[in-house]
Amino acid sequence: MPMTKRRILVTSALPYANGPIHIGHLVEYLQTDIWVRFQKLRGNDCRYMCADDTHGTAIMIRARQENRSEEELIAEMQASHERDFADFEIEFDNFGSTHSDENRELCAEIWQSIRDAGLVKEKDVEQLFDTEAGTFLADRFVRGTCPKCGATDQPGDNCSSCGSTYSPAELVDPKSTLSGTTPEIRSAKHLFIELEQLHEFLNDWTQSDDRLQPEIANYLKGHFLGDPLRDWDISRPAPYFGFEIPDSPGNYWYVWFDAPIGYIASTKQWCDKQGEKLDDWWKSDDCEIHHFIGKDITYFHTLFWPGMLKTAGYRLPTKVHIHGFLTVDGEKMSKSKGTFVNARTYLDHLNPSYLRYFYASKLSAKVDDIDLSLDEFIAKVNTDLVGKVVNLASRSAKFVAKVGLSAEYPDDGGLFEHAAAVGDQIAEAYEACDYSRAMRLIMGLADRANPFVEENKPWELRKDAAQAQQLQDVCTIALNLFRQLAIYLSPVLPRLAEQTGELLGDPITNWDQAKTPLVGTPVNKFKHMLKRVEEKDLKTMIEESKETGEAASAAGETATFEDKWNDGGEALAAEPRAEECSYDDFMKVDLRVARIVSAEQVEGARKLLKLRLSLGGGETMQVFAGIKAAYEPEQLVGRLVVCVANLAPRKMKFGLSEGMVVASGPGGSEVFLLSPDDGAVPGQRVH
RNA sequence: GGUCCGGUAGCUCAGUUGGUUAGAGCAGGGGACUCAUAAUCCCUUUGUCGGGGGUUCGAGUCCCUCCCGGACUACCA
């Protein structure tokens, strides 16, 4: 181990203040917390900074909907976030907020540097403005008809039907999803950063010194750096919840400008409290800076952010560690399946150590998604943690509760020494963020320790008073081997390390404690350290997540009359009621009951199934429906559905689609076909 | 479509710069033990290392090609 003490500043991405922490977020915070705890255990001067990300249109809109101030909303969210993190034993050195004085000042300072460097330019941008809501509309708050293919109800940026991209202003018949009204096109002055001026620097920075995982460096090279970099639209016109740009009244910094500066602002807060100098951390070559982020925000952290830092004279990140997303049982987290589990819901039912260990056992330095298989979760925690590790202590501690550990460490056939040596490999694995490898190595050690106990049978030795010394020696060895494991696991399982410290009267504070056996100390009464995971607790958690998924959104809405089904307002909010239409308008759409007579996969299509609908009497239609992720062809054949029978046929990549099947839901696997009640027959019109 | 990452025992994966009969954990089967939260220990079954070509004395490991799975696809966040 290098004896020079490294100074390391670490960050996780800032959680956004419009929702609670869930188990997907926790992949990142746990990954980071483990790394930080490891560094601290190694004796490095490591600090972990984070903050809530509080600005942007989404916060503004939500505060309005909940009829309160943004400040109140973000304060409440922050309190909730901090509670969740604390209960998962995620320990920040400072947890700030992007809505802070420190951040405002730093934004202004960095902004000025970017201005001075000649990177800012002004351009007029045409954007849709919702006159009723009194706000410009981000692309995702607009829906309308695709200018290219005529598909209706498409988002403001690209068409999900034909895939073409356009600006919201090009949409035919656009509607605001906030008010349902037709927005008008307004031109506004936006400020842009000419990133292209930094192209060469970014090319070099991203491709050298192992700052990024190879697949990421490669990806940037192919996707962004191969072409001229586009100007980055850094301002938003009022109204906007954020910081107003000092030299451009009426314009606000876009949330992605001030969010990463929040890393520095949080550090500043900490420095002020600790009497440290900010420049020693953010402008010093003696300090390492490590960012941990999810793959979704790669380009903000690997292009814009280094560009900003470079221009403003700050030091650049040593490394950006990028992780994948969480899937549960091989699928995206889903509210309806109950796999969208909030941190709080988890804590209500399960021990945080379980998840800490499970994630550690799955995480590597790669960008791959990690899967939380519920069966595997139970097996891993119970077998590894309870069966192999904790069991070592619980089967030997009580035999020496009275006498303590032997005065000298007995001959153990090289077990302790071996485990001490493996410690270097484990440390390397932690350092490289290859936690799954670290966990494998540690469990390999546990697999050597248990047979030792088995062979030496302390439970027999204790029956013979003449073998008291032997008994004490065997338990001394077992407990020391256990303690080594607890030390190696302590970045992942701080609570277990604490309990081990209490049991043996020697707190675990340093990695090198694993190199020297503990002898001659008393052993305290053994207390249970970790319970097995009960499948029923896991099931209850999943069930509860199904309920809260629906109820959560309702909580913020105005409480309604007799809402006995507890239906949330989320779906309606996402897509408000359309403008009034006349009966004649309605009758233009010919809805019919139809029977699916065949359904098949379409080769090469990602979302589509090819259906043949029968309207009875031999009349059929071919329809391509985007329901592949939600339905198997076999389960569709024979069922009745409602279809649009007079929709203009559309030529699709895979053939002609002559109609539409009516369904609800946001899309993907969340698509719900409508079924008529019994008695309906194909061909009947719906009205 | 493009880019990238994968495809090794039923499952999750390890296999370093190519080198003897391909490994671990879990699950399965058999046995032992009873100190421990039915934990632990011993023995044990299973693989055309995605397919096909090639380079080599020798390939899971290198090259080509095909098949399959996944992620990403910015100018929304």
Side-chain angles (χ1 to χ4, degrees):
Chain A
M1 169 179 172
M3 276 295 99
T4 46
K5 196 173 175 184
R6 292 158 62 194
R7 285 153 54 75
I8 310 172
L9 186 76
V10 181
T11 71
S12 291
L14 312 186
Y16 200 46
N18 74 341
I21 302 299
H22 55 68
I23 57 173
H25 292 118
L26 287 170
V27 172
E28 174 169 316
Y29 299 100
L30 291 178
Q31 180 188 40
T32 316
D33 185 66
I34 289 168
W35 203 77
V36 168
R37 284 178 183 273
F38 167 73
Q39 297 299 350
K40 288 179 174 172
L41 194 67
R42 298 283 277 180
N44 293 320
D45 192 5
C46 180
R47 305 293 161 183
Y48 185 10
M49 301 296 158
C50 200
D52 253 23
D53 180 14
T54 57
H55 291 156
T57 315
I59 300 286
M60 181 178 80
I61 302 283
R62 179 169 171 155
R64 272 190 208 175
Q65 281 171 347
E66 296 177 8
N67 199 20
R68 54 177 172 165
S69 71
E70 286 95 349
E71 282 79 4
E72 190 185 330
L73 169 67
I74 64 177
E76 183 186 291
M77 266 315 162
Q78 175 140 3
S80 138
H81 289 176
E82 291 194 42
R83 252 194 324 271
D84 289 345
F85 289 138
D87 289 347
F88 266 97
E89 295 165 290
I90 294 160
E91 223 170 64
F92 301 107
D93 286 277
N94 195 67
F95 193 89
S97 164
T98 57
H99 197 60
S100 68
D101 294 340
E102 290 90 349
N103 202 37
R104 186 191 292 272
E105 283 161 25
L106 283 158
C107 285
E109 177 208 316
I110 290 172
W111 176 247
Q112 192 57 47
S113 304
I114 295 171
R115 278 269 198 204
D116 293 346
L119 294 178
V120 178
K121 71 173 177 190
E122 293 181 359
K123 282 195 277 188
D124 282 332
V125 172
E126 287 196 334
Q127 222 183 334
L128 294 174
F129 188 85
D130 183 325
T131 50
E132 190 171 309
T135 181
F136 282 97
L137 296 166
D139 295 358
R140 66 203 173 97
F141 291 113
V142 187
R143 296 185 83 86
T145 302
C146 171
K148 306 267 167 38
C149 75
T152 55
D153 196 30
Q154 294 305 314
D157 49 355
N158 65 70
C159 175
S160 62
S161 183
C162 71
S164 58
T165 58
Y166 40 77
S167 79
E170 293 176 76
L171 272 182
V172 177
D173 195 22
K175 289 280 184 295
S176 164
T177 64
L178 297 180
S179 65
T181 59
T182 302
E184 58 187 52
I185 297 175
R186 284 195 191 173
S187 179
K189 187 181 73 176
H190 280 230
L191 297 166
F192 289 77
I193 293 179
E194 280 189 315
L195 210 58
E196 178 58 14
Q197 292 191 37
L198 299 168
H199 198 138
E200 202 177 319
F201 155 71
L202 290 170
N203 228 349
D204 180 61
W205 187 82
T206 57
Q207 305 299 315
S208 56
D209 289 343
D210 290 327
R211 294 181 179 105
L212 307 174
Q213 288 126 302
E215 60 264 51
I216 296 291
N218 216 336
Y219 157 74
L220 293 172
K221 202 159 126 192
H223 270 83
F224 301 91
L225 295 165
D227 298 314
L229 294 163
R230 299 184 179 220
D231 297 338
W232 183 28
D233 186 350
I234 199 60
S235 73
R236 294 293 182 272
Y240 192 76
F241 182 60
F243 293 140
E244 194 167 17
I245 303 177
D247 55 11
S248 182
N251 284 313
Y252 289 72
W253 283 307
Y254 173 47
V255 57
W256 265 109
F257 179 79
D258 71 55
I261 295 175
Y263 296 142
I264 308 180
S266 184
T267 313
K268 179 156 195 319
Q269 237 172 34
W270 176 81
C271 284
D272 290 347
K273 272 185 256 173
Q274 303 287 319
E276 293 258 346
K277 287 200 201 97
L278 183 63
D279 286 2
D280 289 348
W281 295 90
W282 278 95
K283 289 189 177 174
S284 162
D285 289 337
D286 297 334
C287 178
E288 299 173 33
I289 294 182
H290 293 257
H291 295 302
F292 286 80
I293 61 165
K295 61 185 179 182
D296 52 333
I297 54 179
T298 295
Y299 69 88
F300 291 105
H301 283 81
T302 56
L303 298 176
F304 300 146
W305 180 231
M308 286 163 67
L309 290 170
K310 167 83 175 165
T311 307
Y314 282 79
R315 65 144 301 143
L316 292 155
T318 310
K319 243 181 148 138
V320 181
H321 306 260
I322 302 178
H323 62 80
F325 294 148
L326 178 72
T327 57
V328 180
D329 279 337
E331 294 180 31
K332 271 168 73 169
M333 295 192 295
S334 141
K335 287 191 176 169
S336 60
K337 292 194 173 105
T339 54
F340 197 103
V341 182
N342 283 336
R344 185 50 50 187
T345 314
Y346 175 98
L347 288 165
D348 286 343
H349 299 279
L350 297 166
N351 185 326
S353 294
Y354 302 158
L355 196 69
R356 292 184 68 105
Y357 175 71
F358 184 80
Y359 281 174
S361 77
K362 301 294 279 186
L363 277 165
S364 75
K366 298 202 175 157
V367 191
D368 300 346
D369 290 350
I370 71 167
D371 184 49
L372 168 55
S373 146
L374 300 178
D375 291 341
E376 197 186 351
F377 177 84
I378 296 175
K380 267 222 147 79
V381 170
N382 288 348
T383 308
D384 292 355
L385 286 189
V386 182
K388 289 181 181 174
V389 177
V390 173
N391 190 226
L392 262 179
S394 62
R395 70 193 304 201
S396 52
K398 72 173 190 187
F399 297 135
V400 286
K402 292 213 176 71
V403 296
L405 299 178
S406 304
E408 273 181 49
Y409 190 70
D411 179 11
D412 66 0
L415 283 173
F416 188 90
E417 207 177 330
H418 172 262
V422 172
D424 290 342
Q425 292 173 50
I426 297 170
E428 270 171 42
Y430 271 121
E431 178 68 40
C433 290
D434 195 351
Y435 303 161
S436 62
R437 179 173 160 78
M439 296 307 109
R440 265 199 312 282
L441 289 166
I442 293 170
M443 290 311 140
L445 297 177
D447 285 337
R448 287 166 155 251
N450 274 307
F452 170 83
V453 178
E454 201 72 22
E455 281 164 27
N456 289 280
K457 305 187 185 358
W459 53 93
E460 283 186 6
L461 295 174
R462 72 164 168 166
K463 291 175 187 162
D464 180 358
Q467 299 195 306
Q469 183 58 47
Q470 174 100 31
L471 174 64
Q472 190 187 19
D473 285 352
V474 168
C475 294
T476 297
I477 292 166
L479 286 171
N480 266 292
L481 296 176
F482 166 71
R483 177 165 165 270
Q484 277 179 316
L485 301 179
I487 294 167
Y488 293 150
L489 284 169
S490 70
V492 179
L493 302 173
R495 181 78 193 107
L496 181 70
E498 226 172 90
Q499 290 166 322
T500 304
E502 284 163 19
L503 177 70
L504 302 176
D506 184 62
I508 291 172
T509 56
N510 193 289
W511 185 265
D512 286 344
Q513 285 173 291
K515 289 185 173 163
T516 317
L518 203 58
V519 288
T521 60
V523 173
N524 287 310
K525 190 169 187 306
F526 182 79
K527 289 183 232 159
H528 283 323
M529 294 180 163
L530 199 63
K531 269 193 342 199
R532 294 166 61 81
V533 184
E534 300 281 345
E535 195 181 353
K536 68 172 170 45
D537 292 336
L538 203 59
K539 289 225 165 96
T540 315
M541 178 187 81
I542 297 287
E543 278 310 307
E544 199 168 292
S545 296
K546 284 183 191 169
E547 291 155 18
T548 56
E550 290 158 9
S553 56
E557 313 287 327
T558 322
T560 49
F561 55 94
E562 278 193 287
D563 200 356
K564 65 175 173 180
W565 288 284
N566 218 5
D567 292 330
E570 209 168 54
L572 184 63
E575 196 175 347
R577 285 203 268 183
E579 219 175 323
E580 185 177 287
C581 81
S582 69
Y583 182 75
D584 290 343
D585 285 342
F586 169 65
M587 286 307 285
K588 281 183 189 163
V589 181
D590 189 356
L591 295 171
R592 298 275 169 174
V593 174
R595 190 183 300 281
I596 300 177
V597 291
S598 77
E600 54 192 84
Q601 300 287 354
V602 183
E603 199 173 326
R606 271 188 295 183
K607 297 178 182 171
L608 299 175
L609 289 182
K610 181 173 163 182
L611 308 178
R612 184 151 289 279
L613 305 181
S614 164
L615 296 175
E619 179 97 15
T620 67
M621 293 161 49
Q622 172 172 286
V623 171
F624 288 92
I627 57 173
K628 176 176 168 152
Y631 291 92
E632 294 298 327
E634 305 84 67
Q635 67 186 113
L636 289 172
V637 175
R639 70 170 280 178
L640 295 179
V641 291
V642 177
C643 74
V644 182
N646 63 338
L647 194 68
R650 200 150 70 78
K651 196 170 177 321
M652 302 182 70
K653 185 174 164 188
F654 308 100
L656 193 68
S657 189
E658 301 171 308
M660 249 175 111
V661 176
V662 179
S664 70
S669 57
E670 312 257 296
V671 172
F672 312 100
L673 289 174
L674 268 55
S675 304
D677 278 348
D678 288 348
V681 296
Q684 284 177 337
R685 183 156 186 192
V686 179
H687 37 58

